[in-house]
Amino acid sequence: MEPAAREAPATADDVEVTITVCPAGPLLLRGPALLLDGDGRPIDPGRRTVALCRCGRSARAPFCDGTHKRRTRRPSADEEERG
């Protein structure tokens, strides 16, 4: 079953923010979200779609740098099934 079609946003304030979980990878954040560091200061992502690290090993934290692709542990059966 396909999701119901939605109308396009009426104004820039109505633009949707989406977060997509990539199996064994980053979170893809799309839209005009405000990113803050641990002290509440804004982080400029430099673009409207960013990949946020979930593995904790990125040299560019909080952004993904692909380090998760070089992981040394074997994925769990659940991770294998998801891709």
Side-chain angles (χ1 to χ4, degrees):
M1 173 184 269
E2 291 186 29
R6 294 188 288 177
E7 292 183 26
T11 68
D13 293 334
D14 294 334
V15 174
E16 187 175 85
V17 173
T18 62
I19 300 171
T20 304
V21 179
C22 296
L27 297 174
L28 291 182
L29 175 67
R30 293 180 177 98
L34 175 62
L35 295 176
L36 302 174
D37 69 12
D39 295 322
R41 293 182 301 246
I43 299 171
D44 180 11
R47 57 185 64 174
R48 300 225 349 145
T49 299
V50 294
L52 299 175
C53 176
R54 290 195 304 154
C55 76
R57 292 179 277 182
S58 174
R60 297 183 51 231
F63 305 107
C64 176
D65 67 359
T67 299
H68 62 276
K69 294 176 186 175
R70 295 184 296 275
R71 69 179 175 198
T72 56
R73 71 172 182 84
R74 290 185 46 86
S76 69
D78 197 36
E79 289 174 321
E80 282 281 336
E81 190 173 293
R82 287 184 272 150

